Amino acid sequence: MQNSSPLGPIQIVPFSRDIQRSEFTSGNLDLDQWLKRYAKQSEDRFQARTFFALSDVSELLGYYANTFGEVSAHEEIESLALSNYSRPAYLIARLAVDSKWQGRGIGRMLLFDALDKAIRASSLAGLELVIVEAIDEKVVKFYEGVGFHRFSSSSTKLFITMKSLVHSS
């Protein structure tokens, strides 16, 4: 997928070992270390899929990783009715933008790419929710700004229903 931006063309591409990851710095050590040390392992083990936002000169601007999961029937979500069954979910497990490119819409571009993939996946298998775990309140606001809701008023875990995603696309 290619998007236009004030930075020039940005491509979102699947994980590749050829893409230089060692210089990536988002400002969050956990997100940076996962990308550098564990993204390849997660790919090889089919545990997660990682996608990169690349500049027109193949500089790594940001990334996200996704996987499937579920929300257990015992985990309450304040704004959803209780369920006797677990809820199938698409998890955006990680999303980060290199600190020198933050604030330029790359995170939003990555998120919308991930949501598009969730919509496509939901046409092949049941998915009820897309979930994320925000690292702080600033990131919570980012996700709330595009329609995500907190699991509870004090939670940094957020969701959006596939139903609302499909109807809004």
Side-chain angles (χ1 to χ4, degrees), residues 53-136:
L54 301 177
S55 72
D56 58 349
V57 294
S58 297
E59 180 179 358
L60 179 57
L61 308 174
Y63 79 95
Y64 72 89
N66 60 30
T67 190
F68 293 98
E70 66 182 18
V71 177
S72 94
H74 305 294
E75 189 168 5
E76 289 188 37
I77 301 175
E78 285 181 357
S79 58
L80 293 179
L82 287 176
S83 174
N84 291 327
Y85 304 99
S86 62
R87 300 169 189 268
Y90 177 94
L91 172 64
I92 302 172
R94 301 183 185 283
L95 190 152
V97 175
D98 192 284
S99 54
K100 65 184 166 219
W101 301 108
Q102 291 174 4
R104 300 185 190 195
I106 296 165
R108 189 176 185 86
M109 194 179 300
L110 286 163
L111 176 60
F112 286 140
D113 188 74
L115 294 175
D116 180 62
K117 285 178 177 53
I119 290 169
R120 288 189 281 149
S122 75
S123 71
L124 301 172
L127 283 175
E128 187 176 347
L129 304 170
V130 175
I131 55 177
V132 297
E133 179 94 32
I135 57 174
D136 59 32

Side-chain angles (χ1 to χ4, degrees), residues 14-79:
F15 178 90
S16 168
R17 290 161 183 75
D18 299 332
I19 295 169
Q20 178 58 252
R21 301 182 311 275
S22 63
E23 301 300 315
F24 186 86
T25 307
S26 69
N28 181 287
L29 188 59
D30 288 338
L31 292 171
D32 299 345
Q33 291 301 320
W34 184 88
L35 176 66
K36 294 170 188 175
R37 292 185 179 169
Y38 303 110
K40 179 184 175 302
Q41 289 176 19
S42 291
E43 286 287 326
D44 291 346
R45 294 176 179 164
F46 292 83
Q47 294 172 334
R49 292 292 174 228
T50 303
F51 294 87
F52 298 136
L54 301 177
S55 72
D56 58 349
V57 294
S58 297
E59 180 179 358
L60 179 57
L61 308 174
Y63 79 95
Y64 72 89
N66 60 30
T67 190
F68 293 98
E70 66 182 18
V71 177
S72 94
H74 305 294
E75 189 168 5
E76 289 188 37
I77 301 175
E78 285 181 357
S79 58

